[in-house]
């Protein structure tokens, strides 16, 4: 049987609405599974008004969560991003390209 280890991203108490589970990952062997990762500011717990900052925060929160799990961005096999509409795509590109600058080495 594979041991299961849970890690959580440290965020201020006010960052998560009541009832929302913590931002977490489960490590099982060499695999890491994450919860949804919101675009909250990890220092203040606030959600920025502008989508560009929200997506930048979400990718930074992913980096931090992976680090807590003992992994890095090179370990990611799939990222699914949900936006309210297609216009959100332009805000994803900047943090995506910062995390994965090599187009031959992306999830």
């Amino acid at each position: 049987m594979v041991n299961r280890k849970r890690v959580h991203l440290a965020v201020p108490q006010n960052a998560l609405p009541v009832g929302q589970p913590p931002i977490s990952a489960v490590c099982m062997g060499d695999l890491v599974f994450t919860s949804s990762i919101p675009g909250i500011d990890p220092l203040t717990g606030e959600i920025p008004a502008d989508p560009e900052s929200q997506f930048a925060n979400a990718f930074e929160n992913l980096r931090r969560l992976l680090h807590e799990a003992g992994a890095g961005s090179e370990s990611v096999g799939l990222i699914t991003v949900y936006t309210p509409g297609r216009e959100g795509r332009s805000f994803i590109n900047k943090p995506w390209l910062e995390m994965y600058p090599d187009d031959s080495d992306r999830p």
Side-chain angles (χ1 to χ4, degrees):
M1 179 178 281
V2 176
N3 289 333
R4 183 178 313 178
K5 176 180 91 168
R6 234 181 241 284
V7 296
H8 301 283
L9 189 60
V11 295
Q13 289 290 341
N14 67 324
L16 302 172
V18 174
Q20 180 175 337
I23 303 166
S24 61
V26 174
C27 306
M28 295 178 67
D30 292 339
L31 300 175
V32 178
F33 302 90
T34 70
S35 65
S36 61
I37 302 174
I40 63 170
D41 183 310
L43 301 176
T44 66
E46 301 293 321
I47 297 175
D50 64 295
E52 186 172 4
S53 295
Q54 291 177 30
F55 283 113
N57 286 346
F59 276 86
E60 181 56 30
N61 290 337
L62 173 60
R63 279 188 196 92
R64 292 177 58 227
L65 186 58
L66 289 170
H67 177 76
E68 290 294 320
S73 60
E74 72 284 350
S75 302
V76 174
L78 174 70
I79 294 178
T80 302
V81 179
Y82 294 101
T83 65
R86 294 198 51 81
E87 63 277 356
R89 179 69 190 161
S90 64
F91 301 113
I92 299 167
N93 289 338
K94 183 178 178 189
W96 171 262
L97 292 174
E98 287 172 358
M99 188 175 245
Y100 298 105
D102 183 352
D103 66 356
S104 67
D105 189 26
R106 293 183 182 143

